[in-house]
Amino acid sequence: MSFVDIIRKKRNGKELTQEEISCLIQDYTNQKIPDYQMSAFLVAVYFQGMSANETVWLTEAIMCSGEVIDLSSIPGKKIDKHSTGGVGDKVSIVLAPLVASLGIKVPMIAGRGLGHTGGTIDKLESIPGFRTNLSTAEFKENVADIGVCIASQSEAITPAESRLYALRDVTGTVESIPLIVSSIMAKKLVAGIDGLVLDVKTGSGAFMKEYDKAHSLAKAMIEIGKGMGKPTIALITDMNQPLGKMVGNATEIAECIDTLKGKGPPDLIELTILLGAYMLILADIYSDLEAGKKALRKMLQNGKAYEKFKAIVSKQGGDTASLETFKETAISKKSCEVLCDTDGYVHSIDTFKIGIASNILGAGRKKLGDKIDYSVGIEVLAKIGAKVTKDQPLARLFYANETSCTQAKGLIKEAYKVSAQKASIPVLIQHVMK
Ligand code: URA
């Protein structure tokens, strides 16, 4: 069957065979299928969806598009976490060193910015010298030596995923359950893990804005994880406002450094600690959630988690000295504020618009291959429920050029809804699924 026939078959809502899916991923990886045809296929999947079988076959084909990592020679359980993507979601950068500081092995393959959301890899690359495109041998060596490594999918590991991910980012095809499931599960399962904790976001800044869709996404990923013999736990968590205060790349790394030094924002700490406690359970280190949380909190307070973060940065070629002055040196010096129009309470924040505003400033990509500006971003100064007065700053923008700043400012103003009535604060942890 030709690739055009496969596009037509999917476009007409028919189920593809395992062979068709495997050929299509192989040919795309080997550059026999151009991006414009793959874009048409992605749009067909976006509208027609995929059956449970097709999603498993797609995940397996993407996972096997490059080397599959075998970490069995490294002692101990290897546990990872992945988020479905949000705004200001910097959890992985705090969580990986935090959990590793308790001796758990964390082999993490992470992504770049996608749509309106930021990506762990882009954020880490704002640290001077930090390398994420590692060979499989380096990845293994780092996990063996320091217990943790955060790398990007690459030409060696899930090459099909890195190309599909970049293509989805610029073709409006991100918000599709089978595409998200296969993207996440392929790059998680390829890394030789023994268990996985998923942070499935729901709300205005998530890909799955409605709770029911987030629930279906979580269920589909748990089924694939378990089907492949990897215990998987999913938390459904709120993304109706940015997590923490910072949005961007260097801005978020600065907030991660503060958090790893025990001075982070409460929502980021609460979520990171809970995800970490489930990772400890999957690693059989603690059977009691509260004991795990206590151990993790101690690692944030006693500096061990920050030490582990510095070890990651050093091992991956980053400049550890830069971390000490990061806030002062890596974030743009040009800043302006978005002021509140009226007295009242922050009722809601359209978090999708905050993500888009950050991209407009230059923190994300508009088309394939765009360079991002690590120094720009947003500081959220008022979250939902906050009492605000006229002319009080709601957000601070770190920008590079005036035009993008004006555009982003307008969007942030639109994103904030202030009302006279007290607003209820969204519940951060909405559900835990096993
Ligand atoms: N995160 C991923 O890694 N892939 C997606 O498709 C969405 C979020």
Side-chain angles (χ1 to χ4, degrees):
M1 198 178 249
S2 77
F3 188 56
V4 180
D5 292 330
I6 294 182
I7 298 175
R8 269 198 211 103
K9 190 171 172 186
K10 186 48 26 198
R11 183 200 69 188
N12 295 340
K14 303 258 163 44
E15 188 180 49
L16 301 177
T17 64
Q18 180 166 18
E19 201 194 343
E20 283 162 347
I21 292 178
S22 139
C23 283
L24 115 82
I25 293 302
Q26 243 174 35
D27 285 354
Y28 186 59
T29 309
N30 298 331
Q31 317 220 352
K32 289 190 192 152
I33 295 172
D35 283 341
Y36 62 83
Q37 277 191 313
M38 186 49 97
S39 302
F41 177 76
L42 293 173
V43 174
V45 173
Y46 179 91
F47 283 113
Q48 295 293 356
M50 277 186 151
S51 67
N53 277 340
E54 284 176 297
T55 310
V56 171
W57 297 330
L58 182 63
T59 307
E60 282 172 353
I62 295 175
M63 182 179 133
C64 298
S65 64
E67 289 173 45
V68 176
I69 303 170
D70 177 7
L71 298 180
S72 58
S73 58
I74 301 172
K77 287 252 171 100
K78 293 107 208 161
I79 311 293
D80 195 4
K81 164 262 167 193
H82 199 84
S83 156
T84 58
V87 178
D89 181 1
K90 53 201 75 79
V91 167
S92 292
I93 298 162
V94 178
L95 182 64
L98 172 61
V99 172
S101 71
L102 281 171
I104 317 296
K105 305 288 186 301
V106 186
M108 186 177 276
I109 306 283
R112 296 190 180 276
L114 188 63
H116 65 286
T117 69
T120 299
I121 293 298
D122 290 330
K123 293 170 199 179
L124 284 170
E125 285 179 353
S126 72
I127 301 170
F130 196 100
R131 290 173 50 243
T132 59
N133 189 359
L134 307 181
S135 67
T136 307
E138 267 178 300
F139 184 78
K140 271 173 102 164
E141 184 193 307
N142 292 8
V143 177
D145 283 4
I146 62 168
V148 47
C149 185
I150 310 178
S152 56
Q153 30 345 359
S154 63
E155 278 313 305
I157 306 159
T158 58
E161 156 54 13
S162 49
R163 295 191 57 209
L164 285 170
Y165 192 89
L167 197 58
R168 288 168 59 217
D169 189 23
V170 293
T171 53
T173 50
V174 175
E175 298 91 339
S176 148
I177 290 185
L179 296 180
I180 297 179
V181 169
S182 55
S183 156
I184 293 180
M185 297 309 283
K187 60 182 175 264
K188 294 289 113 175
L189 296 169
V190 79
I193 55 168
D194 298 304
L196 177 63
V197 177
L198 294 163
D199 182 7
V200 180
K201 302 286 189 196
T202 182
S204 64
F207 291 121
M208 296 295 132
K209 307 217 180 316
E210 298 90 22
Y211 179 87
D212 289 352
K213 285 202 176 146
H215 192 275
S216 304
L217 176 61
K219 196 163 164 271
M221 289 196 288
I222 290 174
E223 270 163 21
I224 292 201
K226 286 191 177 159
M228 295 223 182
K230 313 293 175 191
T232 302
I233 297 175
L235 274 62
I236 300 186
T237 72
D238 182 68
M239 191 25 75
N240 280 301
Q241 56 184 337
L243 192 63
K245 290 172 87 171
M246 294 297 200
V247 180
N249 294 290
T251 45
E252 293 198 33
I253 292 292
E255 191 167 49
C256 289
I257 294 171
D258 283 348
T259 307
L260 284 158
K261 288 180 169 175
K263 294 174 289 186
D267 56 349
L268 176 61
I269 295 178
E270 182 189 349
L271 180 55
T272 307
I273 295 277
L274 187 62
L275 289 162
Y278 279 111
M279 288 172 78
L280 298 181
I281 287 180
L282 287 181
D284 293 332
I285 302 287
Y286 288 95
S287 54
D288 174 41
L289 203 59
E290 290 312 313
K293 285 191 198 171
K294 197 168 158 205
L296 291 162
R297 272 206 190 91
K298 192 166 158 201
M299 294 291 130
L300 283 182
Q301 293 307 328
N302 65 14
K304 295 256 166 62
Y306 185 54
E307 282 307 311
K308 189 58 90 176
F309 178 65
K310 286 203 286 190
I312 299 174
V313 173
S314 164
K315 195 88 184 159
Q316 296 190 216
D319 175 8
T320 49
S322 75
L323 302 178
E324 298 313 316
T325 53
F326 203 77
K327 211 180 274 174
E328 294 75 36
T329 53
I331 301 176
S332 174
K333 298 273 178 299
K334 289 195 207 168
S335 69
C336 67
E337 287 168 347
V338 175
L339 304 182
C340 189
D341 286 335
T342 171
D343 293 350
Y345 297 89
V346 177
H347 178 269
S348 60
I349 303 174
D350 184 337
T351 307
F352 173 79
K353 287 189 175 153
I354 303 287
I356 296 291
S358 174
N359 282 0
I360 289 172
L361 289 173
R365 297 176 184 81
K366 294 182 192 75
K367 57 180 184 341
L368 274 182
D370 270 357
K371 284 242 166 327
I372 59 177
D373 185 341
Y374 297 121
S375 73
V376 299
I378 298 166
E379 182 173 6
V380 175
L381 299 170
K383 306 248 295 196
I384 298 177
K387 191 171 189 313
V388 285
T389 51
K390 186 169 169 9
D391 291 336
Q392 177 180 331
L394 296 173
R396 181 172 297 122
L397 276 62
F398 301 96
Y399 67 96
N401 78 68
E402 303 290 338
T403 318
S404 59
C405 179
T406 308
Q407 226 186 322
K409 247 175 128 171
L411 207 54
I412 294 176
K413 210 154 201 159
E414 268 176 51
Y416 268 89
K417 195 162 158 225
V418 173
S419 68
Q421 287 84 35
K422 256 191 157 167
S424 52
I425 298 169
V427 176
L428 182 59
I429 316 293
Q430 301 195 358
H431 193 44
V432 179
M433 294 166 70
K434 293 182 190 170

